[in-house]
């Protein structure tokens, strides 16, 4: 049986792009007689707000989406992330880094999917672990695992290239986790067999595949779906975003719009003027 998930972060209201992601996760599971869970990715203490979570639950119900089992909250799983972090420390695969963002930007030689690639400054220096983020030594880790592969249902078989981000942060200075570590552990804990999420996270899956190998986790299949995009002022197509004025689902719900009809329109590919779906399959850079 397949099991998928919708995993929003409560750091802003949901908009139509989130509704699309939720529908993909939900409908793929329903179409195949599987299950879909709702996971709230609320470990970013500075940006997460409990009020958004209440709104999310109302928005999703308004769209006509129901989830299997209890809603999962990442903030309740910090101990398990920390435990995995300790295992990676014991394996000698993560190292403390005290570099600031500005130092990294100044020293970086390359730009990766998330911005400047960390140049490895602390890899061989004993940074003070008390005030450090912990980074994965990707070269050491991949030497240990050997070549890895994974499959996206739309894009097909992939050879893992986890080095595209450089040495990613797995434990933040303020948190015993990072997005990569928490999401990978959760997908295993939650028994997710098909990771559905937006194509913007396609590169991250290379890193997640490596973490699965290092931590002995089950390997799911992925389905990275297109994103809802709109033309920005500069004429470029950009992902819908609250900060560019995408109306929130909560506002539309309160204005009395019909959520089930909005969901149905998305399913049929009827999109509001100016909004379209990004290309269907991830293109290698
Ligand atoms: N929490 C992430 C987001 O809202 C999604 C992470 C994932 O699906 O892996 O963009
Ligand atoms: Zn550093």
């Amino acid at each position: 049986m397949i099991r998928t998930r919708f995993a929003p972060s409560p750091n802003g209201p949901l908009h139509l792009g989130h509704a699309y992601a939720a529908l993909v996760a939900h409908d793929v599971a329903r179409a195949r007689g599987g299950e879909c869970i709702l996971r709230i990715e609320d470990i970013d203490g500075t940006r997460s707000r409990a009020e958004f979570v209440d709104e999310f639950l109302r928005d999703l119900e308004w769209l006509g989406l129901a989830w299997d089992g209890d809603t999962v909250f990442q903030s309740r799983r910090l101990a398990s992330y920390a435990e995995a972090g300790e295992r990676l420390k014991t394996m000698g695969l993560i190292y403390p880094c005290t570099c600031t963002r500005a130092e990294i930007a100044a020293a970086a030689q390359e730009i990766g999917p998330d911005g400047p690639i960390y140049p490895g400054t602390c890899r061989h220096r004993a940074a003070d672990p008390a005030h450090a983020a912990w980074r994965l030594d990707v070269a050491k880790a991949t030497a240990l695992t050997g070549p890895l592969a994974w499959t996206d249902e739309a894009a097909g078989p992939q050879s893992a290239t986890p080095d595209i981000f450089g040495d990613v942060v797995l434990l933040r200075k303020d948190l015993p986790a990072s997005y990569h570590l928490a999401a990978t552990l959760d997908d295993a804990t939650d028994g997710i067999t098909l990771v559905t999420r937006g194509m913007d996270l396609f590169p991250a899956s290379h890193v997640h595949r490596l973490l699965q190998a290092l931590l002995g986790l089950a390997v799911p299949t992925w389905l990275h779906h297109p994103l809802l995009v709109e033309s920005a002022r500069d004429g470029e197509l950009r992902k819908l975003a609250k900060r560019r004025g995408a109306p929130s689902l909560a506002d539309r719900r309160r204005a009395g719009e019909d959520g089930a009809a909005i969901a149905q329109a998305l399913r049929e590919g009827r999109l509001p003027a100016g909004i379209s779906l990004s290309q269907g399959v991830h293109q290698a850079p």
Side-chain angles (χ1 to χ4, degrees):
M1 188 190 61
I2 75 152
R3 213 165 133 87
T4 64
R5 82 304 196 281
F6 174 53
S9 302
N11 51 25
L14 299 181
H15 53 60
L16 203 60
H18 298 107
Y20 183 75
L23 277 164
V24 170
H26 175 275
D27 289 5
V28 167
R30 292 290 171 268
R32 300 186 200 172
E35 292 180 348
C36 184
I37 67 153
L38 176 63
R39 182 168 78 221
I40 305 294
E41 303 212 322
D42 59 347
I43 48 172
D44 192 337
T46 51
R47 296 169 72 209
S48 292
R49 300 260 178 285
E51 310 84 85
F52 287 128
V53 178
D54 297 335
E55 294 279 80
F56 286 12
L57 297 176
R58 288 193 194 102
D59 293 342
L60 295 167
E61 198 185 331
W62 172 74
L63 291 169
L65 303 180
W67 310 94
D68 295 294
D70 292 332
T71 302
V72 172
F73 292 85
Q74 287 195 327
S75 57
R76 299 181 191 164
R77 290 180 164 174
L78 294 181
S80 68
Y81 307 147
E83 189 264 337
E86 289 308 315
R87 275 166 59 201
L88 292 167
K89 281 181 196 171
T90 307
M91 292 164 85
L93 293 175
I94 58 177
Y95 62 88
C97 165
T98 47
C99 298
T100 63
R101 230 177 246 275
E103 283 166 347
I104 295 168
Q109 308 278 335
E110 280 173 280
I111 304 293
D114 273 352
I117 292 187
Y118 180 67
T121 319
C122 297
R123 199 181 295 132
H124 301 294
R125 87 176 171 195
D128 177 4
H131 307 285
W134 289 75
R135 291 181 179 273
L136 180 63
D137 187 331
V138 174
K140 199 169 173 187
T142 48
L144 193 69
T145 63
L148 297 167
W150 56 280
T151 300
D152 178 90
E153 279 199 358
Q158 307 290 319
S159 303
T161 54
D163 55 331
I164 52 176
F165 290 92
D167 287 354
V168 285
V169 170
L170 293 188
L171 307 175
R172 290 173 21 170
K173 270 182 201 164
D174 57 338
L175 200 69
S178 68
Y179 161 65
H180 295 303
L181 184 63
T184 304
L185 287 168
D186 282 349
D187 285 333
T189 304
D190 297 332
I192 302 304
T193 64
L194 182 64
V195 173
T196 58
R197 63 179 169 216
M199 211 121 66
D200 50 337
L201 289 168
F202 195 104
S205 299
H206 289 292
V207 175
H208 299 186
R209 180 65 190 87
L210 174 59
L211 292 177
Q212 286 153 3
L214 296 173
L215 294 166
L217 306 174
V219 181
T221 302
W222 281 260
L223 175 60
H224 294 92
H225 57 72
L227 302 174
L228 291 195
V229 292
E230 62 188 333
S231 10
R233 271 197 207 113
D234 58 8
E236 292 284 313
L237 288 179
R238 297 266 160 71
K239 184 176 157 177
L240 286 200
K242 174 72 182 147
R243 63 176 184 284
R244 279 191 288 275
S248 72
L249 298 180
D251 285 347
R252 299 181 67 175
R253 170 166 53 81
R254 277 190 281 268
E257 284 193 61
D258 181 346
I262 290 175
Q264 197 49 36
L266 281 175
R267 287 188 172 107
E268 291 168 11
R270 284 184 285 116
L271 301 172
I275 295 180
S276 55
L277 275 177
S278 64
Q279 274 177 324
V281 174
H282 178 78
Q283 305 289 313

